[in-house]
Amino acid sequence: MNKLFKLTENNTNVRTEITAGITTFLTMVYIVIVNPVILAGAGVPFGQVFMATIIAAVVGTLFMAFFANYPIAIAPGMGLNAYFATVVASEGLSYQVILGAVFLAGVLFVLLSLTKLRQTLIEAIPSSLKFGITAGIGLFIAFLGLRMSGIVTADESNLVTLGDLHAAVPLLTIGGLFITLVLLALHVKGALFIGMLATGILGFITGQLDFEGVISAPPAPVFFDMDIGGVFSQGLYAVVFVFLLVTLFDTTGTMIGVAEQAGFIKNGKLPRAKSALLADATATTVGSMFGTSPSSAYVESASGVGAGGRTGLTSLVVGLLFIVSMFFSPFIQAISNQPAITAPVLIIVGCFMMDGLARIDWKTFDEAFPAFAIILTMPLTSSIATGIAIGFITYPLMKLVSGKGKDVHWILYLFGVIFALQMVFFPVH
């Protein structure tokens, strides 16, 4: 273990790495419950998503462990799963077609990760748009949690209004949210997962949760249940682009943030960057083959780094724990059938994604407004794609008319034109 993961060189030991791996797993295992819930709403069978989520997490995290030797975990990302469900619902398409779009985005992601183009794209797109996209997705996720729990409901005169807080599900959601917030305020490790368990116990006591079992053989994985041809026949190029773009920004930003926290970045560069960047790209491609949305590096990995994790042994522990979790599908499915258990996580993760707002230059209007437009339109249109499109159209346009056109990378003008054409001729809702 010491030689394989270079524990001594990284000033760590087996016990510390195992503790860090358990810590990271507890903070992100909620995805095994939340992801199947969201994608099941798009018609993907629960058992299929459950296994695909675990397979993607194991593949990506073990790739990170053995090839990059970093304590960074990979799993299907929040936000993109919601976008997946939104596209299926709004366009009336089959989930197989959207899985085909994810697969194509994954292949492109792998190719980008093998070249310097991925770094060029990241550097060309301004920070204000990156932070705006992340925050917009955060609001989108939080609104989804409020809506699925019944805390907010549809209203004819005002579009949305406060739901019936005396009803069982909203009450349980509020109780679970309060418990989880307290755990987070007390810096309890694995607060999100523990909060979900506590909410589940409350639901069981109040008769809102029924278990038909706890442990069973894992559901049979479904391989290549996708329609790649449908992507081309339906002209879903913008959908592929959004999957690629959001995954690109989200996972690279997360990876850099965790790497900085762990002290891996030297002279502005990340050693073994290509291997690290290939981990999430590989997980996205493999995950789509089994039935899940794109994968990303998890910011929750920072909890394991905080516990002392410095090598791929931490990631190895996370991957092994994900394998163990596949034997608890009856327990996980029972929890996922009660929206009050997963809704608090969506709301809180949405809050976590607001972090970048503090780094937007709000006093410079041509930087602030495109970010604001993204943040505003994503939740109000229930479309991540629309928010990104509006941001990429307004940013170069405002820079151009304010006399700062030369400061904008040429690729942004290209994206602006592509998104403008897409919104006019191929709108994605």
Side-chain angles (χ1 to χ4, degrees):
M1 283 294 181
N2 188 21
K3 291 183 179 180
L4 179 62
F5 295 108
K6 301 178 180 178
L7 302 183
T8 303
E9 291 179 28
N10 288 281
N11 298 314
T12 185
N13 54 59
V14 172
R15 181 178 179 179
T16 299
E17 294 293 302
I18 291 175
T19 301
I22 294 172
T23 301
T24 295
F25 176 77
L26 289 176
T27 60
M28 65 180 289
V29 68
Y30 66 85
I31 194 62
V32 176
I33 300 172
V34 177
N35 199 47
V37 170
I38 293 176
L39 295 192
V44 193
F46 180 92
Q48 181 178 346
V49 186
F50 174 77
M51 287 302 295
T53 300
I54 293 174
I55 290 169
V58 170
V59 168
T61 304
L62 293 186
F63 192 107
M64 183 71 73
F66 291 111
F67 293 100
N69 196 27
Y70 285 137
I72 300 174
I74 308 289
M78 293 294 293
L80 284 167
N81 48 12
Y83 174 61
F84 184 108
T86 301
V87 174
V88 171
S90 63
E91 298 294 326
L93 300 169
S94 69
Y95 70 81
Q96 288 91 345
V97 174
I98 309 304
L99 282 176
V102 176
F103 175 77
L104 291 175
V107 172
L108 291 173
F109 203 16
V110 170
L111 295 176
L112 282 175
S113 299
L114 290 171
T115 68
K116 292 184 179 180
L117 185 57
R118 181 173 181 177
Q119 184 177 349
T120 302
L121 284 171
I122 293 295
E123 293 174 352
I125 296 170
S127 297
S128 58
L129 291 188
K130 295 175 188 174
F131 296 140
I133 290 170
T134 303
I137 293 174
L139 286 180
F140 184 94
I141 290 172
F143 181 65
L144 179 65
L146 292 171
R147 190 173 60 190
M148 66 187 284
S149 64
I151 292 178
V152 299
T153 58
D155 179 68
E156 290 185 6
S157 61
N158 198 38
L159 298 181
V160 293
T161 189
L162 194 65
D164 180 9
L165 300 186
H166 294 94
V169 174
L171 271 177
L172 183 59
T173 302
I174 293 171
L177 180 62
F178 179 76
I179 291 171
T180 310
L181 290 174
V182 170
L183 292 172
L184 286 168
L186 294 174
H187 304 290
V188 175
K189 294 177 180 177
L192 293 179
F193 186 66
I194 295 172
M196 292 174 72
L197 289 179
T199 309
I201 293 171
L202 283 177
F204 182 76
I205 293 173
T206 57
Q208 298 182 60
L209 185 64
D210 295 317
F211 291 103
E212 296 181 0
V214 176
I215 301 176
S216 74
V222 179
F223 183 68
F224 223 76
D225 182 24
M226 64 175 69
D227 180 7
I228 298 175
V231 177
F232 298 100
S233 63
Q234 298 288 339
L236 300 179
Y237 308 110
V239 175
V240 174
F241 184 71
V242 169
F243 277 133
L244 177 63
L245 195 66
V246 177
T247 308
L248 182 70
F249 297 150
D250 182 56
T251 194
T252 306
T254 298
M255 208 170 289
I256 290 172
V258 175
E260 285 181 342
Q261 178 190 0
F264 296 139
I265 295 182
K266 309 295 182 183
N267 300 318
K269 295 182 178 181
L270 179 66
R272 305 181 301 283
K274 185 174 289 186
S275 297
L277 296 173
L278 269 172
D280 55 348
T282 303
T284 293
T285 308
V286 173
S288 67
M289 294 180 183
F290 288 91
T292 187
S293 48
S295 295
S296 172
Y298 261 60
V299 71
E300 286 83 357
S301 302
S303 64
V305 171
R310 290 296 181 274
T311 73
L313 180 54
T314 293
S315 297
L316 173 60
V317 172
V318 175
L320 293 176
L321 289 174
F322 267 113
I323 293 174
V324 172
S325 71
M326 70 173 61
F327 295 95
F328 292 85
S329 60
F331 175 74
I332 291 173
Q333 185 162 11
I335 290 176
S336 67
N337 286 334
Q338 172 50 263
I341 297 176
T342 52
V345 173
L346 294 175
I347 296 168
I348 292 170
V349 169
C351 174
F352 290 160
M353 297 178 78
M354 297 294 109
D355 176 70
L357 291 179
R359 288 175 276 178
I360 296 175
D361 184 4
W362 293 105
K363 294 182 179 180
T364 304
F365 192 69
D366 52 17
E367 289 284 337
F369 185 81
F372 169 75
I374 294 172
I375 297 165
L376 181 69
T377 53
M378 276 190 189
L380 293 185
T381 63
S382 293
S383 173
I384 293 172
T386 299
I388 290 176
I390 291 176
F392 274 79
I393 291 169
T394 55
Y395 186 88
L397 183 61
M398 292 191 67
K399 288 292 185 179
L400 194 61
V401 298
S402 61
K404 303 176 185 177
K406 293 183 179 180
D407 297 338
V408 180
H409 197 286
W410 66 266
I411 204 166
L412 287 185
Y413 290 111
L414 176 62
F415 284 164
V417 172
I418 291 173
F419 275 123
L421 292 173
Q422 173 256 310
M423 290 193 70
V424 173
F425 299 106
F426 308 101
V428 179
H429 303 293

